[in-house]
Amino acid sequence: MNQDFSADAAVRSVIDGVRDLLPTIRERADEAERLRVIPDASVKELEESGFFRLLQPKRYGGLEADPVAFFTAVRDIASADGSTGWVSSVVGVHPWQVALFADEAQQAVWGADQNVRLSSSYSPTGKAVQTDGGFQLSGKWSFSSGCDHCSWVLLGGLVFNAEGQVVDFRTFMIPRDQYQIVDVWNVVGLRGTGSNDIIVDDVFVPEAFTLSMGETGMCRGPGQEVNTSELYKLPFHSIFTSTIATPIIGMAKGAYAEHVEMQQKRVRAAYIGEKASLDPFAAVRIARSSSEIDAAWALLMGNIREEQAYVARGEQIPLELRLRVRRDQVLGSVRAIEAIDSLFEASGGRALAEGTYLQRAWRDAHAGRVHAANDPERALQMYGAQQFGHKIDPGMY
């Protein structure tokens, strides 16, 4: 599988710059947990590296990069700290969706400052009522990761007509002065993500600042008129669910590296001073875990590559492939978490110490597992049902 994006020097420079930041990001992991948000310094350094512009339109100073390059950077960041990788992923992907909005909305976000960032909460827990020229939006949304580092938010909401009937499901884009952040993030995993609540109280949202999820489900959006790159013709759910799986795979990558290093130094007192690295069962566990991590990554990126090939040929992406993306995305998360579990169980008591990557990755990965995008039964049921010839709700893939 070809993942070579080195031909684009600017993108390659971003990837290299991100990798230069990894030791410092890892050193700040404890600080992120203590603060319950990513340290400002880390966000600033990632901004300066160009990371947040990878999926941003070139018209607004972005790179319109290969999504595999973006996911590679996310994986590497998460291998240094899970919370930083998680926030980088979900905040870093939002320019891709903003590029699908009407240009009026894009101009409002990036016209004055091309470094503007957005957080999100897509669960349709808010209520929008149709009015002249737009919608009145109210509600409370949870789990808006990285919201303290952002000046706009993307919110999911059901649209009601005057008769009180649901007529659409949309994403609403709101500036910082029109919503409240409520600090509720006191958790055991992904502690540094600052995934707080968002409250909106009867705010008018113009039509241009909304995007129908039905339209994005068909790989369409008004922003495609001005952002013509093939990047913005990929399926929303393929990009966004991969955004959730990738940091978990990155956590597994980091956990694997620390486990190998620890075992090379470890002497097992219970086995008469045997070096852990000489234990044949430990070697087998490493082999199995590394294979699961590699498989998760290869399938995730391989599917994205297949979708890109269809877009490049101007062909519609088959439903089976889009569902396969979801199948391998949720199972990629499962593979990565099971690899972390296996490595953690075999690492000995020292892995329990505060400050070790392994115990943090174990907590962070299991916290990431509860995200709706990582619900394996629903994603796998869709794939299996399609294989049996049953009709699948297009909004679900």
Side-chain angles (χ1 to χ4, degrees), residues 28 58 70 108 113 129 144 149 164 169 182-183 272 285 327 329 354 369 379 386 397:
R28 293 190 183 125
K58 290 182 178 178
F70 171 75
D113 182 0
V129 179
S144 188
H149 296 295
F169 173 22
V182 182
D183 185 352
I272 321 176
R285 191 178 292 246
R327 179 197 72 185
Q329 171 260 313
E354 292 184 0
R369 163 62 184 84
Q386 190 272 339
Y397 59 85

Side-chain angles (χ1 to χ4, degrees), residues 237-238 241-242 245 295-296 298-300 302-303 306-307 319-335 373-387 396-397:
H237 284 89
S238 295
T241 59
S242 297
L299 288 169
L300 193 68
N303 290 334
E306 285 197 45
E307 290 189 327
L319 171 60
E320 188 277 337
L321 175 55
R322 293 175 65 171
L323 291 173
R324 177 153 41 96
V325 171
R326 287 287 282 124
R327 179 197 72 185
D328 293 337
Q329 171 260 313
V330 294
L331 290 180
S333 294
V334 169
R335 287 186 172 99
N374 280 329
D375 184 346
E377 286 78 16
R378 290 186 181 276
L380 298 180
Q381 185 277 331
M382 287 191 295
Y383 182 85
Q386 190 272 339
Q387 293 291 299
M396 294 301 292
Y397 59 85

Side-chain angles (χ1 to χ4, degrees), residues 3 9 88 137 157 179 181 192 223 225 231 237 240 247 272 282 297 319 365 367 373 378 382 396-397:
Q3 294 185 9
S88 297
L137 181 68
Y179 62 89
I181 297 174
E225 294 181 8
L231 170 66
H237 284 89
F240 273 69
I272 321 176
W297 180 248
L319 171 60
R378 290 186 181 276
M382 287 191 295
M396 294 301 292
Y397 59 85

Side-chain angles (χ1 to χ4, degrees), residues 3 68 110 117 192 199 235 286 307 310 320 343 362 396:
Q3 294 185 9
V68 173
W110 292 312
R117 292 181 294 273
I199 294 180
I286 283 176
E307 290 189 327
Y310 276 96
E320 188 277 337
L343 297 169
W362 186 79
M396 294 301 292

Side-chain angles (χ1 to χ4, degrees), residues 16 22 31 71 86 104 116 157 163 187 239 311 332 360 377:
D16 292 341
L22 299 185
E31 181 184 2
F71 291 128
W86 187 273
E104 177 185 346
V116 164
E163 289 72 41
V187 292
I239 294 296
V311 172
R360 185 179 293 112
E377 286 78 16

